[in-house]
Amino acid sequence: KGYFHAPFPRLMLRYEDILFHTEEVVAQVCECAGGVMNNEFEYVHGAPHVGPLGTEKNGFVQAVIKYGKFDSRLEGLSEADIDFAIKTLE
């Protein structure tokens, strides 16, 4: 995973944290970058849009339903990914 040992500054965020703890994560990202989050945080609940190559994107509610399921939380992760997470993350 070249991005993990990249020679430049980077910020790694879990999608689940952004989805379920949005305001807290955005405030921490702003602070990390030397800024301050304004008090006008607003969730955008618009309809899903079509992304590049015609792929449909999830809206907020669809993302919560898809990624909020305990049974599918490891879906798409390899055994190496899970081992890394266990060893590295709290």
Side-chain angles (χ1 to χ4, degrees):
K1 309 267 177 169
Y3 59 84
F4 192 74
H5 298 289
F8 49 83
R10 70 248 180 246
L11 182 63
M12 292 186 233
L13 304 169
R14 289 183 339 136
Y15 180 70
E16 293 84 354
D17 292 333
I18 297 168
L19 183 62
F20 296 115
H21 308 284
T22 310
E23 290 185 56
E24 180 183 348
V25 171
V26 170
Q28 290 176 357
V29 169
C30 288
E31 184 179 327
C32 178
V36 177
M37 187 174 87
N38 67 31
N39 293 330
E40 299 178 19
F41 192 89
E42 181 180 343
Y43 287 91
V44 177
H45 296 274
H49 65 280
V50 176
L53 307 175
T55 56
E56 194 171 294
K57 302 297 179 188
N58 286 333
F60 179 77
V61 173
Q62 292 87 353
V64 168
I65 292 168
K66 180 177 180 178
Y67 296 104
K69 295 179 183 174
F70 183 80
D71 295 341
S72 62
R73 71 192 189 287
L74 302 179
E75 191 174 289
L77 298 177
S78 69
E79 191 172 324
D81 292 333
I82 296 168
D83 288 341
F84 173 81
I86 290 169
K87 293 175 185 172
T88 310
L89 305 173
E90 287 186 24

